[in-house]
Amino acid sequence: MSDKLYMQRCLELAIKGMGNVSPNPMVGCVIVHEGKIIGEGYHKKFGEAHAEVNAINDVFSNFGDENSSLLKNATAYVNLEPCAHFGKTPPCADLLVKHQLKKVVIGNTDPFLGVNGKGIEKLKAAGIEVVTGVLEKECRFLNRRFFTRVEQQRPFIILKWAQTANGFFAPKDASQQWISGLEAKELTHQWRSEEDAIVVGKQTVLIDNPQLTTRNVNGKNPIRIVIDKNLAIPETYHIYNNEAKTIIFNEIKTDVMNNIHFVQMEDMQFYLAQKIAFQLYLMDIQSVIIEGGAQILHQFIDTNLWDEARVFTATTEWNGGIKAPSIKGNIFETLQVGSDELKIYSPYSQK
């Protein structure tokens, strides 16, 4: 039971890195000596120190000259296998070996082929006891974006839309009408800060002229991905401002203008969802929210290329309009957000 409690603390620490560590995973580390936490840390930002480094530095900060003897009799808890290779930082497995920890408890092994298990091998070779699989399911769920990118060679894909109580998604006359309330809008901005990118189609931009930023909350702006086959969106629109990096998939040109990256695609009428997913994977984009319009959402639904769908349903009804997408999946959470109901779906194939 104590192993699970300390691993749960690792997850609480790890999630603090959400939105800042991609394409790395979120990792927390807790160091325990004789039933007491003596140090803890988490991976705060991509390219900076990993969780294990921050946790050991915390022990040094807390205990000064005692730290060496304490660490030799301590157990480190970490939700993902300590890395065994040199990347932007040195291997964390080597750091734990250097300080001669007694035991290491791990949630998930590293999903990278060729790396999986190598951190564990280093620890065991140094005489450190290793336990794996503690809260394995919970640890994997936390890093579902990371595991999806590594195992499926594509980003974790979230679909998001709002619909009226009678199932309409947008007006037929292409006018702008809000469906969900202010609370839903603020939550949407929070979600944007947690993901790498956001995707919208040309029609959504032409009708709404959205900013696609996190201006209602504190957090980084996602990369804006716009599907504009013939580059029909005027450069006076918000997506061309300097607030966020913007990638425009089109059939005309590949070019870079300040923060605007034009990426040419061929035959965008075929396999568009798959092409977008592959391009984003090549760009090291680990997670993406598809916010519309209906045509883009349908492309991802029809190809079963999604991992989560977040659907707001308002109390208002319309006399007509464009029907909201229909999705088949498991509802794993239902929430009340202001006056709107939020249902979160996962595909049937997702365990």
Side-chain angles (χ1 to χ4, degrees), residues 33-297:
H33 180 268
E34 294 181 354
K36 179 183 176 182
I37 294 176
I38 59 172
E40 56 184 32
Y42 66 97
H43 185 28
K44 296 180 179 179
K45 189 175 181 181
F46 177 71
E48 295 185 1
H50 287 187
E52 297 91 329
V53 175
N54 288 330
I56 285 179
N57 286 343
D58 193 37
V59 176
F60 275 65
S61 175
N62 291 334
F63 294 95
D65 294 338
E66 295 180 71
N67 63 72
S68 181
S69 60
L70 289 172
L71 287 169
K72 287 179 182 178
N73 290 290
T75 297
Y77 292 83
V78 61
N79 58 291
L80 187 70
E81 177 182 357
C83 58
H85 62 286
F86 282 88
K88 289 187 176 293
T89 61
C92 292
D94 289 358
L95 181 69
L96 299 176
V97 169
K98 174 186 173 183
H99 290 287
Q100 300 176 306
L101 273 82
K102 183 179 178 180
K103 182 178 176 181
V104 177
V105 179
I106 297 166
N108 297 140
T109 54
D110 194 318
F112 278 102
L113 292 175
V115 178
N116 190 326
K118 286 191 165 49
I120 293 170
E121 287 176 13
K122 279 192 174 187
L123 298 173
K124 287 183 174 179
I128 297 173
E129 180 186 352
V130 178
V131 175
T132 61
V134 176
L135 294 187
E136 185 173 13
K137 183 178 178 181
E138 292 85 347
C139 291
R140 184 181 175 91
F141 182 77
L142 176 78
N143 276 314
R144 58 198 183 278
R145 297 160 179 81
F146 174 71
F147 277 90
T148 297
R149 182 180 178 274
V150 173
E151 294 173 349
Q152 299 187 43
Q153 288 80 55
R154 64 167 177 81
F156 186 86
I157 297 169
I158 300 166
L159 310 180
K160 176 261 169 184
W161 71 86
Q163 60 190 24
T164 64
N166 55 342
F168 291 110
F169 175 85
K172 277 191 175 175
D173 62 2
S175 63
Q176 184 184 55
Q177 289 189 42
W178 292 108
I179 296 175
S180 53
L182 291 175
E183 295 88 350
K185 185 175 182 180
E186 187 166 304
L187 181 56
T188 296
H189 284 214
Q190 180 62 43
W191 288 341
R192 290 175 182 176
S193 74
E194 295 169 353
E195 312 304 336
D196 289 352
I198 178 173
V199 171
V200 294
K202 175 191 71 177
Q203 284 302 115
T204 296
V205 176
L206 289 175
I207 293 168
D208 296 338
N209 191 16
Q211 297 182 58
L212 306 180
T213 62
T214 59
R215 60 196 178 278
N216 285 6
V217 299
N218 291 322
K220 68 169 182 59
N221 289 323
I223 298 171
R224 300 179 292 200
I225 313 289
V226 180
I227 315 304
D228 187 8
K229 180 178 176 180
N230 297 312
L231 297 180
I233 300 168
E235 292 186 12
T236 54
Y237 275 51
H238 291 315
I239 61 155
Y240 280 98
N241 65 28
N242 294 318
E243 291 187 24
K245 178 179 177 179
T246 302
I247 297 169
I248 301 179
F249 290 132
N250 68 93
E251 287 190 353
I252 308 297
K253 65 179 181 179
T254 293
D255 196 9
V256 178
M257 294 169 47
N258 299 316
N259 65 310
I260 310 297
H261 296 242
F262 297 93
V263 177
Q264 187 176 14
M265 279 185 177
E266 293 183 354
D267 299 323
M268 291 178 70
Q269 69 271 32
F270 301 115
Y271 307 109
L272 182 60
Q274 295 94 324
K275 288 176 180 177
I276 292 169
F278 183 62
Q279 284 292 332
L280 298 185
Y281 170 74
L282 294 178
M283 294 172 179
D284 269 347
I285 290 174
Q286 186 165 266
S287 63
V288 61
I289 299 179
I290 315 292
E291 285 205 12
Q295 185 180 352
I296 298 295
L297 287 164

